[in-house]
Amino acid sequence: MNLIDLGDEDGTRCVVRVTGRHRPGILTGHDILRADVLVTADFVDARLELFLLQQDLDTWQHDLTRLAPGAGATIGGDRGPSLDLTVHGAGTVSLTVQDPDRLSILLWIEPQGSWVQDHHRRLHQVRETWPSEVVETSPTAYEWSPGRKR
């Protein structure tokens, strides 16, 4: 399921595809989501592995709600690859994809239509498919949330 799908008519595209839970059924890894970052442009064709915490999804949602020219949104980061999106005037978006061990690229994308609303919808679908089911009761102590679907 695509959490992020930004592309333009020139074929430049970045997709963050959530593929499932990192360690389903294991308290410390159940709510961590596995994802692939797929980047395509005339000068690059890359696939990176990304792990998303529930806090990453919270930050992405917060950033999406305040997107405007000059503002940005970020996902990933301190644990591996990161994506930093900045909105510019005239409908252009710059997207920096960084993997500290492998690559750093800057893409200029002119997304079409109501792409911000589309990304809110995508985020909602990811959260519906893989809801948070673990509660941290104290530092390094976890338990299943009362509403967990088995």
Side-chain angles (χ1 to χ4, degrees):
M1 173 176 303
N2 292 349
L3 172 65
I4 298 171
D5 191 344
L6 277 174
D8 62 22
E9 294 175 354
D10 296 332
T12 301
R13 187 171 181 207
C14 180
V15 173
V16 174
R17 182 167 296 143
V18 178
T19 58
R21 294 187 185 275
H22 173 54
R23 297 176 71 196
I26 311 242
L27 279 170
T28 56
H30 185 79
D31 277 355
I32 299 170
L33 301 179
R34 288 187 331 267
D36 294 322
V37 179
L38 309 167
V39 182
T40 307
D42 58 356
F43 61 92
V44 66
D45 187 8
R47 179 190 170 276
L48 306 169
E49 187 174 52
L50 177 65
F51 294 93
L52 298 170
L53 304 176
Q54 293 300 315
Q55 298 92 317
D56 295 324
L57 299 180
D58 294 342
T59 299
W60 180 245
Q61 181 175 7
H62 176 265
D63 290 352
L64 282 176
T65 60
R66 58 182 195 81
L67 274 181
T74 300
I75 196 160
D78 58 347
R79 298 168 318 280
S82 67
L83 287 79
D84 295 301
L85 178 138
T86 303
V87 177
H88 302 278
T92 303
V93 172
S94 62
L95 179 66
T96 303
V97 179
Q98 294 183 348
D99 182 336
D101 298 327
R102 296 194 280 179
L103 84 125
S104 178
I105 58 172
L106 174 65
L107 303 172
W108 288 92
I109 299 173
E110 294 184 34
Q112 304 298 308
S114 55
W115 64 273
V116 175
Q117 291 82 4
D118 181 49
H119 282 83
H120 279 288
R121 182 186 54 76
R122 292 173 184 283
L123 175 60
H124 179 74
Q125 287 177 330
V126 166
R127 288 189 171 200
E128 287 287 313
T129 303
W130 297 286
S132 177
E133 297 180 329
V134 176
V135 177
E136 187 171 8
T137 56
S138 62
T140 68
Y142 303 92
E143 65 182 41
W144 296 110
S145 63
R148 178 177 183 233
K149 299 175 187 172
R150 293 186 187 250

